[in-house]
Amino acid sequence: MSNASLSPLPSTDRPDVTARLRDALLGASFTADGLLELLGAPAYAALSRSETVPALRATRGDTPLELLVRLFLLQQPVPHARVGGVLPVDACLESGWLDRAGDDEVAATVDVRPYGGPGGEDWFIVSDLGCAVGGAGGIGNHAEGVVLGVGGASTTLAGLTVRTPVSAALDLGTGSGIQALHAAVHATRVTATDVNPRALHIAALTLALSGAPAADLREGSLYEPVADDETYDLIVSNPPFVISPGARLTYRDGGMGGDDLCRSLVQQTGERLNEGGFAHFLANWQHVEGEDWTDRLRSWVPRGCDAWIVQREVQDVTQYAELWLRDAGDHRGDPAEYQARYDAWLDEFEARKVKAVGFGWITLRRTGAAEPSVVAEEWPHPVEQPLGETVRAHFDRVDYLRAHDDAALLEAHFTLSGEVVQEQVGLPGAEDPEHVVLRQNRGMRRATRVDTVGAGFAGVCDGTMSAGRILDAIAQLVGEDPVALRDRTPAQIRLLVEQGFLEPA
């Protein structure tokens, strides 16, 4: 399908109407909190799974909020006379937010989803019809230029991003404008790019309806619309990272071979970042026969950048193909066409010797260090969002450890991070545990095994004594040579600092 199958969009040239519409939505409590209260948690959660029946059942009444949910979120036509008491209906018809449906009803031309900002802001994410909940595949919208609303990937990236005040932020592949909206809170200037002009139009609507400052919107792929001399303090991107045979769907398929789009995006970012600036990406990467995935990702990191790469999930090629075929709704179409598409996907992977696909996030930070730090790890376990502060703290610890050799570590003072617990594992009744595990209950929620010296050291770190003095006391307690203990323990201290169990006092 082409863009011609998509509905005409509301005008971006009527800020007065958009402001009146925003006031009306807020006046009817058409907000994230209002939705949760009206629908209840089960029906609210069902929307994210593309299931609208519970929400339809919860909006059978005639209150303004129920009317707006049916109109803007569930794509139901509503009586013209009734909506006239809630919205500036004639102005919304004239500017394209609404369209006539039959003789006495109106329908929305776009989906509008209430979205709560990190500081309690009441925002609205605009997207194409059928895409406010569950994604394009969930509703069956196959249009090539379709623009999706907020989803799990969007919120993951928003939660990962370091939120410190910056002068200039760049959102590559803005889509419906979610990342640009977040950036507008703490960036003086926001630039957003997208290869799809429809996405730029919808992003402008999202920002305006949310009451946010306008962004500098530019059409083009990745960095193409950005001048060579433009640099930024923050770059974010939820790119079309799906590894697919072809570029059928603009919102997900990058159109480059394999994982080349994600590689190119990461490699080109170093020269665009200001010193100390952060870049955050979601990405897919290939697991190729005979190649370690961490080596593949390390080769992407541009010179002059620290990197933290986290693989959150791995799928074999059949799982991966099925996931994205269902995302496009192909499983509901002609079986022969579905099989042909599936075959094409597996042919592509076979030709590239790809055995699986990884998904995760990549964070870069521009650094002047002589030896940048590149950490690539697999962490499929639950984490606590938002993680922006955790990400920032990771790079602070990188700086600290880079500046402190083992001798300096022994002179330093440390405190145990908040909400760290100790677990002892061993046979029931045994005098000593087989091993000791320290576990975080915040942020990455890491767990790491330590020996009894490491556990004892961490337990008494309150900032009052240097690491060396603590080790001397432990050596005396356990009858060990203090010099030998000082020699072998800094590596364990370094690991506990690196993973966030200990913090410099």
Side-chain angles (χ1 to χ4, degrees):
M1 282 181 149
S2 69
N3 287 9
S5 64
L6 296 168
S7 302
L9 294 174
S11 171
T12 57
D13 298 329
R14 292 295 305 273
D16 56 324
V17 177
T18 304
R20 290 171 63 195
L21 174 58
R22 172 175 170 80
D23 289 342
L25 297 179
L26 294 176
S29 296
F30 186 64
T31 63
D33 290 341
L35 268 188
L36 182 59
E37 184 175 349
L38 171 68
L39 302 180
Y44 189 78
L47 289 176
S48 65
R49 302 191 301 269
S50 313
E51 299 293 348
T52 58
V53 171
L56 286 167
R57 290 172 61 88
T59 56
R60 290 171 171 170
D62 198 36
T63 67
L65 180 55
E66 288 169 304
L67 192 79
L68 293 177
V69 172
R70 291 199 301 273
L71 178 65
F72 283 118
L73 199 57
L74 303 177
Q75 310 127 53
Q76 302 296 306
V78 298
H80 181 287
R82 182 67 188 94
V83 80
V86 181
L87 299 174
V89 64
D90 291 336
C92 287
L93 284 165
E94 180 186 348
S95 60
W97 287 97
L98 301 176
D99 200 1
R100 296 190 182 276
D103 294 334
D104 58 356
E105 291 185 316
V106 296
T109 58
V110 289
D111 279 355
V112 177
R113 177 172 177 175
Y115 181 77
E121 300 92 347
D122 287 317
W123 289 338
F124 300 99
I125 308 301
V126 180
S127 61
D128 271 312
L129 290 173
C131 297
V133 295
I139 309 298
N141 193 332
H142 297 252
E144 180 185 338
V146 68
V147 179
L148 270 60
V150 64
S154 303
T155 55
T156 294
L157 180 59
L160 286 173
T161 303
V162 174
R163 301 294 176 190
T164 54
V166 296
S167 295
L170 174 63
D171 176 15
L172 292 171
T174 190
S176 57
I178 300 161
Q179 307 307 326
L181 185 58
H182 276 276
V185 174
H186 62 103
T188 304
R189 177 171 56 88
V190 177
T191 302
T193 73
D194 205 289
V195 70
N196 182 3
R198 187 176 182 87
L200 296 175
H201 189 123
I202 285 180
L205 295 174
T206 289
L207 291 166
L209 192 59
S210 298
D216 179 2
L217 302 172
R218 305 181 189 178
E219 183 179 346
S221 177
L222 304 180
Y223 286 109
E224 286 177 3
V226 180
D228 291 341
D229 60 349
E230 287 184 273
T231 57
Y232 298 87
D233 308 299
L234 173 67
I235 298 174
V236 294
S237 184
N238 177 17
F241 53 66
V242 176
I243 301 170
S244 62
R248 187 160 58 110
L249 298 174
T250 306
Y251 72 86
R252 69 167 206 194
D253 300 323
M256 296 185 187
D259 52 16
D260 283 354
L261 183 137
C262 291
R263 176 186 56 79
S264 298
L265 174 61
V266 174
Q267 288 180 337
Q268 294 173 23
T269 295
E271 60 193 31
R272 305 291 186 178
L273 274 178
N274 292 326
E275 185 76 17
F278 284 94
H280 305 271
F281 310 109
L282 300 186
N284 277 179
W285 44 81
Q286 299 171 150
H287 284 229
V288 179
E289 292 179 16
E291 179 183 76
D292 189 309
W293 74 268
T294 61
D295 292 338
R296 185 179 192 84
L297 271 291
R298 288 174 184 275
S299 73
W300 292 6
V301 178
R303 294 178 60 185
C305 287
D306 293 323
W308 185 19
I309 301 161
V310 181
Q311 180 167 271
R312 296 287 289 154
E313 185 179 2
V314 181
Q315 292 184 317
D316 66 47
V317 292
T318 59
Q319 291 174 310
Y320 188 81
E322 291 162 14
L323 168 68
W324 294 109
L325 286 166
R326 289 193 178 96
D327 171 82
D330 292 325
H331 61 300
R332 291 193 297 267
D334 176 40
E337 186 175 338
Y338 174 83
Q339 184 173 342
R341 291 190 189 280
Y342 200 152
D343 263 335
W345 225 302
L346 296 186
D347 285 344
E348 178 85 2
F349 285 134
E350 185 176 337
R352 295 179 178 276
K353 297 183 178 181
V354 176
K355 58 184 179 179
V357 177
F359 168 80
W361 64 70
I362 299 171
T363 298
L364 305 178
R365 184 190 60 168
R366 187 77 184 178
T367 179
E371 295 185 15
S373 163
V374 178
V375 176
E377 62 175 325
E378 185 164 14
W379 190 254
H381 311 293
V383 299
E384 180 192 44
Q385 283 277 31
L387 275 171
E389 183 59 25
T390 299
V391 172
R392 186 198 59 75
H394 166 88
F395 288 94
D396 286 349
R397 293 194 298 271
V398 165
D399 287 341
Y400 179 86
L401 291 173
R402 197 154 41 199
H404 289 73
D405 60 15
D406 288 354
L409 282 183
L410 292 175
E411 293 297 320
H413 295 236
F414 299 97
T415 59
L416 187 66
S417 300
E419 298 200 39
V420 172
V421 296
Q422 176 179 303
E423 300 172 359
Q424 298 189 156
V425 181
L427 294 174
E431 184 174 343
D432 296 313
E434 292 180 16
H435 60 263
V436 178
V437 173
L438 298 182
R439 187 179 301 276
Q440 301 167 349
N441 286 320
R442 304 297 303 272
M444 292 292 287
R445 293 178 173 164
R446 294 188 185 278
T448 191
R449 184 183 297 191
V450 294
D451 59 22
T452 52
V453 171
F457 178 88
V460 298
C461 278
D462 60 3
T464 59
M465 295 173 60
S466 70
R469 288 186 60 196
I470 292 174
L471 290 179
D472 291 344
I474 291 175
Q476 186 175 8
L477 186 65
V478 301
E480 189 169 341
D481 178 9
V483 175
L485 194 61
R486 279 175 171 256
D487 283 345
R488 70 177 175 86
T489 307
Q492 191 168 190
I493 297 174
R494 190 171 293 274
L495 178 65
L496 291 175
V497 174
E498 179 183 318
Q499 296 191 344
F501 289 92
L502 295 178
E503 298 176 354

PDB file of all heavy atoms in Angstrom, residues 61-82:
ATOM      1  N   GLY A  61     -20.829   4.559  28.514  1.00  0.00           N
ATOM      2  CA  GLY A  61     -21.626   5.662  29.045  1.00  0.00           C
ATOM      3  C   GLY A  61     -21.579   6.884  28.146  1.00  0.00           C
ATOM      4  O   GLY A  61     -21.144   6.833  26.985  1.00  0.00           O
ATOM      5  N   ASP A  62     -21.971   8.029  28.717  1.00  0.00           N
ATOM      6  CA  ASP A  62     -22.117   9.237  27.912  1.00  0.00           C
ATOM      7  C   ASP A  62     -21.371  10.420  28.511  1.00  0.00           C
ATOM      8  O   ASP A  62     -21.697  11.561  28.228  1.00  0.00           O
ATOM      9  CB  ASP A  62     -23.614   9.575  27.782  1.00  0.00           C
ATOM     10  CG  ASP A  62     -23.878  10.526  26.619  1.00  0.00           C
ATOM     11  OD1 ASP A  62     -23.185  10.401  25.593  1.00  0.00           O
ATOM     12  OD2 ASP A  62     -24.760  11.385  26.760  1.00  0.00           O
ATOM     13  N   THR A  63     -20.365  10.134  29.351  1.00  0.00           N
ATOM     14  CA  THR A  63     -19.600  11.229  29.940  1.00  0.00           C
ATOM     15  C   THR A  63     -18.639  11.794  28.897  1.00  0.00           C
ATOM     16  O   THR A  63     -18.275  11.109  27.923  1.00  0.00           O
ATOM     17  CB  THR A  63     -18.792  10.758  31.159  1.00  0.00           C
ATOM     18  OG1 THR A  63     -17.778   9.850  30.714  1.00  0.00           O
ATOM     19  CG2 THR A  63     -19.689  10.059  32.177  1.00  0.00           C
ATOM     20  N   PRO A  64     -18.169  13.034  29.065  1.00  0.00           N
ATOM     21  CA  PRO A  64     -17.198  13.596  28.114  1.00  0.00           C
ATOM     22  C   PRO A  64     -15.952  12.729  27.952  1.00  0.00           C
ATOM     23  O   PRO A  64     -15.463  12.561  26.835  1.00  0.00           O
ATOM     24  CB  PRO A  64     -16.871  14.960  28.721  1.00  0.00           C
ATOM     25  CG  PRO A  64     -18.106  15.349  29.464  1.00  0.00           C
ATOM     26  CD  PRO A  64     -18.630  14.061  30.037  1.00  0.00           C
ATOM     27  N   LEU A  65     -15.435  12.180  29.051  1.00  0.00           N
ATOM     28  CA  LEU A  65     -14.227  11.372  28.953  1.00  0.00           C
ATOM     29  C   LEU A  65     -14.475  10.096  28.152  1.00  0.00           C
ATOM     30  O   LEU A  65     -13.661   9.713  27.299  1.00  0.00           O
ATOM     31  CB  LEU A  65     -13.704  11.023  30.357  1.00  0.00           C
ATOM     32  CG  LEU A  65     -12.432  10.173  30.402  1.00  0.00           C
ATOM     33  CD1 LEU A  65     -11.305  10.806  29.598  1.00  0.00           C
ATOM     34  CD2 LEU A  65     -11.992   9.943  31.850  1.00  0.00           C
ATOM     35  N   GLU A  66     -15.579   9.426  28.407  1.00  0.00           N
ATOM     36  CA  GLU A  66     -15.902   8.215  27.644  1.00  0.00           C
ATOM     37  C   GLU A  66     -16.036   8.537  26.162  1.00  0.00           C
ATOM     38  O   GLU A  66     -15.571   7.783  25.287  1.00  0.00           O
ATOM     39  CB  GLU A  66     -17.194   7.592  28.179  1.00  0.00           C
ATOM     40  CG  GLU A  66     -17.024   6.939  29.543  1.00  0.00           C
ATOM     41  CD  GLU A  66     -18.359   6.562  30.169  1.00  0.00           C
ATOM     42  OE1 GLU A  66     -19.212   7.457  30.306  1.00  0.00           O
ATOM     43  OE2 GLU A  66     -18.540   5.372  30.497  1.00  0.00           O
ATOM     44  N   LEU A  67     -16.640   9.654  25.865  1.00  0.00           N
ATOM     45  CA  LEU A  67     -16.815  10.079  24.478  1.00  0.00           C
ATOM     46  C   LEU A  67     -15.455  10.286  23.803  1.00  0.00           C
ATOM     47  O   LEU A  67     -15.237   9.830  22.667  1.00  0.00           O
ATOM     48  CB  LEU A  67     -17.622  11.381  24.464  1.00  0.00           C
ATOM     49  CG  LEU A  67     -18.160  11.867  23.121  1.00  0.00           C
ATOM     50  CD1 LEU A  67     -19.402  11.078  22.755  1.00  0.00           C
ATOM     51  CD2 LEU A  67     -18.488  13.355  23.194  1.00  0.00           C
ATOM     52  N   LEU A  68     -14.541  10.949  24.489  1.00  0.00           N
ATOM     53  CA  LEU A  68     -13.230  11.238  23.904  1.00  0.00           C
ATOM     54  C   LEU A  68     -12.390   9.974  23.738  1.00  0.00           C
ATOM     55  O   LEU A  68     -11.637   9.850  22.759  1.00  0.00           O
ATOM     56  CB  LEU A  68     -12.482  12.254  24.774  1.00  0.00           C
ATOM     57  CG  LEU A  68     -13.091  13.658  24.813  1.00  0.00           C
ATOM     58  CD1 LEU A  68     -12.312  14.546  25.772  1.00  0.00           C
ATOM     59  CD2 LEU A  68     -13.125  14.278  23.424  1.00  0.00           C
ATOM     60  N   VAL A  69     -12.498   9.044  24.666  1.00  0.00           N
ATOM     61  CA  VAL A  69     -11.768   7.781  24.537  1.00  0.00           C
ATOM     62  C   VAL A  69     -12.245   7.019  23.307  1.00  0.00           C
ATOM     63  O   VAL A  69     -11.447   6.503  22.522  1.00  0.00           O
ATOM     64  CB  VAL A  69     -11.918   6.927  25.812  1.00  0.00           C
ATOM     65  CG1 VAL A  69     -11.329   5.531  25.598  1.00  0.00           C
ATOM     66  CG2 VAL A  69     -11.237   7.602  27.001  1.00  0.00           C
ATOM     67  N   ARG A  70     -13.564   6.944  23.128  1.00  0.00           N
ATOM     68  CA  ARG A  70     -14.093   6.247  21.949  1.00  0.00           C
ATOM     69  C   ARG A  70     -13.664   6.955  20.665  1.00  0.00           C
ATOM     70  O   ARG A  70     -13.323   6.315  19.672  1.00  0.00           O
ATOM     71  CB  ARG A  70     -15.618   6.161  22.016  1.00  0.00           C
ATOM     72  CG  ARG A  70     -16.137   5.245  23.095  1.00  0.00           C
ATOM     73  CD  ARG A  70     -17.570   4.829  22.841  1.00  0.00           C
ATOM     74  NE  ARG A  70     -18.488   5.949  22.763  1.00  0.00           N
ATOM     75  CZ  ARG A  70     -19.097   6.507  23.800  1.00  0.00           C
ATOM     76  NH1 ARG A  70     -18.866   6.043  25.023  1.00  0.00           N
ATOM     77  NH2 ARG A  70     -19.924   7.533  23.645  1.00  0.00           N
ATOM     78  N   LEU A  71     -13.652   8.278  20.685  1.00  0.00           N
ATOM     79  CA  LEU A  71     -13.366   9.059  19.484  1.00  0.00           C
ATOM     80  C   LEU A  71     -11.890   8.998  19.097  1.00  0.00           C
ATOM     81  O   LEU A  71     -11.546   8.653  17.958  1.00  0.00           O
ATOM     82  CB  LEU A  71     -13.797  10.509  19.717  1.00  0.00           C
ATOM     83  CG  LEU A  71     -13.537  11.512  18.584  1.00  0.00           C
ATOM     84  CD1 LEU A  71     -14.369  11.148  17.358  1.00  0.00           C
ATOM     85  CD2 LEU A  71     -13.873  12.936  19.058  1.00  0.00           C
ATOM     86  N   PHE A  72     -11.008   9.330  20.038  1.00  0.00           N
ATOM     87  CA  PHE A  72      -9.599   9.526  19.700  1.00  0.00           C
ATOM     88  C   PHE A  72      -8.708   8.310  19.942  1.00  0.00           C
ATOM     89  O   PHE A  72      -7.627   8.208  19.370  1.00  0.00           O
ATOM     90  CB  PHE A  72      -9.021  10.707  20.487  1.00  0.00           C
ATOM     91  CG  PHE A  72      -9.423  12.049  19.934  1.00  0.00           C
ATOM     92  CD1 PHE A  72     -10.161  12.941  20.702  1.00  0.00           C
ATOM     93  CD2 PHE A  72      -9.060  12.425  18.647  1.00  0.00           C
ATOM     94  CE1 PHE A  72     -10.523  14.186  20.201  1.00  0.00           C
ATOM     95  CE2 PHE A  72      -9.420  13.660  18.138  1.00  0.00           C
ATOM     96  CZ  PHE A  72     -10.152  14.542  18.911  1.00  0.00           C
ATOM     97  N   LEU A  73      -9.140   7.400  20.796  1.00  0.00           N
ATOM     98  CA  LEU A  73      -8.281   6.270  21.127  1.00  0.00           C
ATOM     99  C   LEU A  73      -8.791   4.956  20.537  1.00  0.00           C
ATOM    100  O   LEU A  73      -8.003   4.091  20.181  1.00  0.00           O
ATOM    101  CB  LEU A  73      -8.158   6.147  22.654  1.00  0.00           C
ATOM    102  CG  LEU A  73      -6.986   5.330  23.209  1.00  0.00           C
ATOM    103  CD1 LEU A  73      -5.662   5.873  22.707  1.00  0.00           C
ATOM    104  CD2 LEU A  73      -7.017   5.320  24.723  1.00  0.00           C
ATOM    105  N   LEU A  74     -10.132   4.833  20.426  1.00  0.00           N
ATOM    106  CA  LEU A  74     -10.717   3.573  19.955  1.00  0.00           C
ATOM    107  C   LEU A  74     -11.322   3.683  18.564  1.00  0.00           C
ATOM    108  O   LEU A  74     -11.922   2.728  18.074  1.00  0.00           O
ATOM    109  CB  LEU A  74     -11.785   3.099  20.955  1.00  0.00           C
ATOM    110  CG  LEU A  74     -11.282   2.917  22.397  1.00  0.00           C
ATOM    111  CD1 LEU A  74     -12.424   2.523  23.321  1.00  0.00           C
ATOM    112  CD2 LEU A  74     -10.174   1.876  22.446  1.00  0.00           C
ATOM    113  N   GLN A  75     -11.174   4.839  17.937  1.00  0.00           N
ATOM    114  CA  GLN A  75     -11.590   5.078  16.545  1.00  0.00           C
ATOM    115  C   GLN A  75     -13.069   4.800  16.290  1.00  0.00           C
ATOM    116  O   GLN A  75     -13.448   4.238  15.267  1.00  0.00           O
ATOM    117  CB  GLN A  75     -10.762   4.220  15.584  1.00  0.00           C
ATOM    118  CG  GLN A  75      -9.284   4.301  15.783  1.00  0.00           C
ATOM    119  CD  GLN A  75      -8.678   2.916  15.941  1.00  0.00           C
ATOM    120  OE1 GLN A  75      -8.894   2.054  15.102  1.00  0.00           O
ATOM    121  NE2 GLN A  75      -7.937   2.722  16.992  1.00  0.00           N
ATOM    122  N   GLN A  76     -13.891   5.188  17.237  1.00  0.00           N
ATOM    123  CA  GLN A  76     -15.331   5.018  17.080  1.00  0.00           C
ATOM    124  C   GLN A  76     -15.979   6.357  16.708  1.00  0.00           C
ATOM    125  O   GLN A  76     -15.677   7.381  17.327  1.00  0.00           O
ATOM    126  CB  GLN A  76     -15.952   4.510  18.387  1.00  0.00           C
ATOM    127  CG  GLN A  76     -15.368   3.206  18.885  1.00  0.00           C
ATOM    128  CD  GLN A  76     -15.642   2.062  17.936  1.00  0.00           C
ATOM    129  OE1 GLN A  76     -16.790   1.801  17.585  1.00  0.00           O
ATOM    130  NE2 GLN A  76     -14.581   1.390  17.517  1.00  0.00           N
ATOM    131  N   PRO A  77     -16.873   6.383  15.722  1.00  0.00           N
ATOM    132  CA  PRO A  77     -17.615   7.622  15.460  1.00  0.00           C
ATOM    133  C   PRO A  77     -18.535   7.950  16.622  1.00  0.00           C
ATOM    134  O   PRO A  77     -19.046   7.047  17.303  1.00  0.00           O
ATOM    135  CB  PRO A  77     -18.402   7.302  14.189  1.00  0.00           C
ATOM    136  CG  PRO A  77     -18.431   5.822  14.100  1.00  0.00           C
ATOM    137  CD  PRO A  77     -17.225   5.296  14.799  1.00  0.00           C
ATOM    138  N   VAL A  78     -18.742   9.238  16.874  1.00  0.00           N
ATOM    139  CA  VAL A  78     -19.600   9.670  17.979  1.00  0.00           C
ATOM    140  C   VAL A  78     -20.575  10.723  17.458  1.00  0.00           C
ATOM    141  O   VAL A  78     -20.318  11.380  16.438  1.00  0.00           O
ATOM    142  CB  VAL A  78     -18.759  10.246  19.145  1.00  0.00           C
ATOM    143  CG1 VAL A  78     -17.833   9.190  19.719  1.00  0.00           C
ATOM    144  CG2 VAL A  78     -17.966  11.456  18.691  1.00  0.00           C
ATOM    145  N   PRO A  79     -21.707  10.896  18.131  1.00  0.00           N
ATOM    146  CA  PRO A  79     -22.709  11.864  17.661  1.00  0.00           C
ATOM    147  C   PRO A  79     -22.165  13.295  17.623  1.00  0.00           C
ATOM    148  O   PRO A  79     -21.545  13.764  18.579  1.00  0.00           O
ATOM    149  CB  PRO A  79     -23.827  11.731  18.692  1.00  0.00           C
ATOM    150  CG  PRO A  79     -23.654  10.362  19.290  1.00  0.00           C
ATOM    151  CD  PRO A  79     -22.185  10.126  19.297  1.00  0.00           C
ATOM    152  N   HIS A  80     -22.412  13.969  16.523  1.00  0.00           N
ATOM    153  CA  HIS A  80     -21.959  15.357  16.345  1.00  0.00           C
ATOM    154  C   HIS A  80     -22.528  16.250  17.437  1.00  0.00           C
ATOM    155  O   HIS A  80     -21.818  17.073  18.022  1.00  0.00           O
ATOM    156  CB  HIS A  80     -22.393  15.841  14.960  1.00  0.00           C
ATOM    157  CG  HIS A  80     -21.965  17.245  14.643  1.00  0.00           C
ATOM    158  ND1 HIS A  80     -22.546  18.361  15.227  1.00  0.00           N
ATOM    159  CD2 HIS A  80     -21.011  17.718  13.806  1.00  0.00           C
ATOM    160  CE1 HIS A  80     -21.976  19.452  14.761  1.00  0.00           C
ATOM    161  NE2 HIS A  80     -21.041  19.098  13.892  1.00  0.00           N
ATOM    162  N   ALA A  81     -23.803  16.087  17.708  1.00  0.00           N
ATOM    163  CA  ALA A  81     -24.456  16.950  18.701  1.00  0.00           C
ATOM    164  C   ALA A  81     -23.842  16.766  20.084  1.00  0.00           C
ATOM    165  O   ALA A  81     -23.669  17.734  20.830  1.00  0.00           O
ATOM    166  CB  ALA A  81     -25.947  16.655  18.740  1.00  0.00           C
ATOM    167  N   ARG A  82     -23.468  15.516  20.425  1.00  0.00           N
ATOM    168  CA  ARG A  82     -22.932  15.255  21.759  1.00  0.00           C
ATOM    169  C   ARG A  82     -21.505  15.788  21.887  1.00  0.00           C
ATOM    170  O   ARG A  82     -21.144  16.392  22.898  1.00  0.00           O
ATOM    171  CB  ARG A  82     -22.938  13.750  22.025  1.00  0.00           C
ATOM    172  CG  ARG A  82     -22.438  13.363  23.404  1.00  0.00           C
ATOM    173  CD  ARG A  82     -23.390  13.849  24.511  1.00  0.00           C
ATOM    174  NE  ARG A  82     -22.799  13.628  25.821  1.00  0.00           N
ATOM    175  CZ  ARG A  82     -22.092  14.534  26.489  1.00  0.00           C
ATOM    176  NH1 ARG A  82     -21.879  15.742  25.951  1.00  0.00           N
ATOM    177  NH2 ARG A  82     -21.605  14.265  27.673  1.00  0.00           N
TER     178      ARG A  82
END
